[in-house]
């Protein structure tokens, strides 16, 4: 039995086997460490989870199923040392992508059936 993209994504998140992808924001968003995800999930030899090895194709699948990329807002400090430290943290944080879909919520698994391809 072949699972649809949203079901595969859900199973992956719930399995706890991957360090590159997890639930965030109280189970309302999917968080993806882009570089780690490319190595850990898309770069798997012989055991591919999704039918792609490219992060852009994976993101297109997310978009096709109604996921939207969430922006993280950072407040910047006025002092230069604090600003530079925050910039470094924000740069590391920019590797993390957040995607939201109202039909993809950890607390409401029954909504997964309404997560359809556009």
């Amino acid at each position: 039995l072949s699972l649809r993209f949203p079901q595969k994504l859900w199973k992956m998140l719930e399995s706890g086997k991957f360090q590159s992808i997890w639930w965030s924001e109280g189970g309302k968003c999917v968080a993806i460490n882009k570089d780690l995800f490319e190595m850990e999930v898309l770069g798997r030899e012989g055991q591919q989870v999704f039918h792609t090895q490219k992060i852009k194709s994976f993101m297109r699948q997310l978009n096709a199923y109604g996921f939207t990329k969430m922006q993280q807002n950072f407040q910047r400090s006025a002092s230069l040392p604090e600003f530079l430290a925050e910039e470094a943290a924000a740069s590391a944080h920019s590797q993390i992508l957040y995607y939201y879909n109202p039909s993809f919520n950890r607390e409401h698994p029954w909504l997964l059936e309404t997560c359809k391809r556009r």
Side-chain angles (χ1 to χ4, degrees):
L1 181 67
S2 172
L3 296 175
R4 289 177 30 244
F5 178 83
Q7 281 88 356
K8 285 182 189 179
L9 185 60
W10 186 283
K11 283 185 70 118
M12 175 181 267
L13 288 162
E14 289 296 305
S15 76
K17 293 178 183 174
F18 300 92
Q19 294 181 356
S20 60
I21 186 167
W22 62 94
W23 290 106
S24 74
E25 305 297 324
K28 294 180 180 158
C29 289
V30 176
I32 303 166
N33 180 317
K34 186 177 160 233
D35 290 344
L36 186 57
F37 187 81
E38 286 181 287
M39 289 185 320
E40 182 183 48
V41 178
L42 301 179
R44 290 172 70 133
E45 294 294 323
Q47 296 181 341
Q48 281 192 301
V49 179
F50 301 102
H51 298 291
T52 185
Q53 293 179 315
K54 298 185 181 348
I55 191 76
K56 290 216 182 277
S57 297
F58 177 77
M59 288 183 207
R60 270 196 293 278
Q61 280 280 56
L62 286 169
N63 292 328
Y65 280 93
F67 286 83
T68 54
K69 188 174 179 184
M70 306 297 291
Q71 298 298 324
Q72 296 300 318
N73 296 322
F74 289 98
Q75 297 295 321
R76 301 288 193 241
S77 296
S79 78
L80 184 59
E82 287 179 20
F83 176 81
L84 292 174
E86 289 168 1
E87 279 298 304
S91 176
H93 202 273
S94 71
Q95 288 296 316
I96 311 294
L97 307 173
Y98 295 91
Y99 283 88
Y100 170 78
N101 181 327
S103 298
F104 200 86
N105 185 315
R106 187 178 197 174
E107 302 301 314
H108 307 292
W110 58 88
L111 290 176
L112 189 58
E113 288 306 312
T114 65
C115 194
K116 304 277 188 215
R117 190 175 179 90
R118 290 184 188 173

